[in-house]
Amino acid sequence: YTRGTVTAFAPFDARADAEALRKAMKGLGTDEETVLSILTTRNNAQRQEIASAFKTLFGRDLVDDLKSELTGKFETLMVSLMRPAHLFDAHALKHAIKGAGTNEKVLTEILASRTPAEVQNIKQVYLQEYEANLEDKITGETSGHFQRLLVVLLQANRDPDAGVDEALVEQDAQVLFRAGELKWGTDEEKFITILGTRSVSHLRRVFDKYMTISGFQIEETIDRETSGDLEKLLLAVVKCVRSVPAYFAETLYYSMKGAGTDDDTLIRVMVSRSEVDLLDIRREFRKNFAKSLYQMIQKDTSGDYRKALLLLCGGDDD
């Protein structure tokens, strides 16, 4: 991935960074500025090296120190930055299905947007870290067609992006049309199977063909024919097929729009995409919402939390 805003910092010295962080947190009061400027400008692999140097030099756990010295959303953001990259999604999913109530939003966002290879990796990490099967955990906490589609996505068996078969495109578009608009009630299974297993390039052609046949965008049909968590998940899959960066631009926009901020979503997306495609997300944001991501973060957040998010954002697009 080369479309992230955070890249390897050079010249990098893990020991020097560890010493600077210890100094920033030692004694009375904390020098938040030093903490945020180091952690937002090093990539995840470098942050892990800093944590390891910190342990070696001071016999202390860097994350524990951050938790005891920082508070609120700023603490959540810094601790999220310190989570090893390969654990990030598995950890988010574990917390989405832990305890009372399930956070369907997190399940939807992660499973709709990750590639089949990434999903396979998440399942493996989940098993290693938590000694539990992710699919079993998710099926235990969800139900109905929403659960069915999550399970299909968890199989990570989406067709590879080979050549597009126009006859199958036509057939799938007709099947979707008959399963939704032409039917009294909806055949959700058809939507689940086609949207959950066909290749991305194939589905893009299906959406175009569907528009030609029905006169509707597939999103409009999903909106009319389904509801609740299933509707949200189907729409997320469609949006990610069209453009993952556009999907995350929209996710960020709605995390800040209106009264109150959904800080969990804002932090999760900014951290998880900062080394992947945040530059593309910024471009889509500017294009679709007539303002830059930078400006919206600036307006919607404050203090050290804002400073750190703006550094992760990596610049304005005006």
Side-chain angles (χ1 to χ4, degrees), residues 158 164 169 172 176 194-208 237 241:
R158 195 175 283 291
V164 173
V169 166
D172 280 351
L176 289 172
I194 292 173
L195 292 177
T197 61
R198 300 287 197 248
S199 78
V200 168
S201 50
H202 173 85
L203 284 172
R204 284 178 185 157
R205 290 284 303 117
V206 170
F207 299 161
D208 293 343
V237 170
V241 164

Side-chain angles (χ1 to χ4, degrees), residues 10-295:
F12 173 63
D13 181 343
R15 260 186 98 94
D17 284 349
E19 282 165 353
L21 286 169
R22 175 74 181 124
K23 190 169 162 228
M25 292 188 284
K26 209 171 113 185
L28 234 73
T30 304
D31 170 8
E32 284 91 354
E33 195 74 42
T34 297
V35 174
L36 72 88
S37 66
I38 291 176
L39 297 187
T40 59
T41 55
R42 311 303 189 257
N43 69 10
N44 193 278
Q46 291 175 325
R47 289 180 215 127
Q48 304 313 318
E49 284 185 55
I50 295 168
S52 165
F54 197 88
K55 185 61 134 285
T56 306
L57 290 169
F58 311 111
R60 303 173 68 89
D61 186 297
L62 176 54
V63 173
D64 288 347
D65 278 11
L66 290 167
K67 284 178 176 170
S68 71
E69 293 295 326
L70 311 175
T71 56
K73 296 172 285 204
F74 180 54
E75 176 200 333
T76 307
L77 177 56
M78 293 299 110
V79 170
S80 297
L81 284 169
M82 289 307 303
R83 191 157 292 120
H86 75 283
L87 282 182
F88 199 86
D89 287 343
H91 180 271
L93 289 170
K94 178 163 171 60
H95 282 263
I97 46 187
K98 196 176 100 176
T102 303
N103 188 336
E104 289 84 4
K105 187 188 232 166
V106 176
L107 300 184
T108 295
E109 179 197 301
I110 292 176
L111 294 175
S113 65
R114 302 313 192 247
T115 64
E118 287 169 334
V119 173
Q120 291 292 9
N121 186 46
I122 292 166
K123 291 196 295 190
Q124 236 169 327
V125 169
Y126 200 94
L127 191 59
Q128 283 159 0
E129 287 297 311
Y130 307 119
E131 294 176 348
N133 178 302
L134 178 58
E135 190 183 316
D136 292 348
K137 288 287 177 196
I138 286 178
T139 47
E141 296 293 332
T142 55
S143 62
H145 290 109
F146 176 61
Q147 179 199 70
R148 275 278 299 123
L149 180 50
L150 287 172
V151 169
V152 169
L153 295 172
L154 278 168
Q155 300 315 303
N157 281 336
R158 195 175 283 291
D159 298 335
D161 261 321
V164 173
D165 172 353
E166 287 301 329
L168 186 60
V169 166
E170 171 81 38
Q171 186 189 317
D172 280 351
Q174 292 285 358
V175 166
L176 289 172
F177 187 42
R178 286 197 297 272
E181 299 290 348
L182 285 186
K183 191 173 172 6
W184 197 79
T186 310
D187 184 351
E188 292 90 352
E189 283 296 323
K190 299 278 196 297
F191 280 84
I192 289 168
T193 304
I194 292 173
L195 292 177
T197 61
R198 300 287 197 248
S199 78
V200 168
S201 50
H202 173 85
L203 284 172
R204 284 178 185 157
R205 290 284 303 117
V206 170
F207 299 161
D208 293 343
K209 179 63 77 175
Y210 184 87
M211 180 73 193
T212 313
I213 294 170
S214 69
F216 299 116
Q217 293 286 9
I218 188 82
E219 289 92 335
E220 298 173 74
T221 295
I222 290 170
D223 199 33
R224 264 200 303 276
E225 297 287 328
T226 60
S227 62
D229 293 325
L230 174 67
E231 178 192 348
K232 291 186 186 117
L233 182 54
L234 284 167
L235 285 173
V237 170
V238 169
K239 286 169 184 173
C240 289
V241 164
R242 290 194 189 276
S243 161
V244 169
Y247 169 72
F248 280 116
E250 187 183 312
T251 303
L252 286 169
Y253 178 74
Y254 285 105
S255 75
M256 293 182 276
K257 186 184 183 289
T261 305
D262 175 358
D263 292 292
D264 286 343
T265 297
L266 179 55
I267 290 169
R268 189 175 56 252
V269 176
M270 291 296 288
V271 173
S272 66
R273 309 314 287 187
S274 61
E275 290 179 46
V276 181
D277 54 2
L278 196 48
L279 289 169
D280 296 332
I281 292 169
R282 269 172 39 185
R283 198 181 59 224
E284 292 291 333
F285 197 100
R286 185 79 196 82
K287 192 172 88 188
N288 298 333
F289 302 109
K291 62 177 76 163
S292 70
L293 176 59
Y294 193 91
Q295 289 161 353

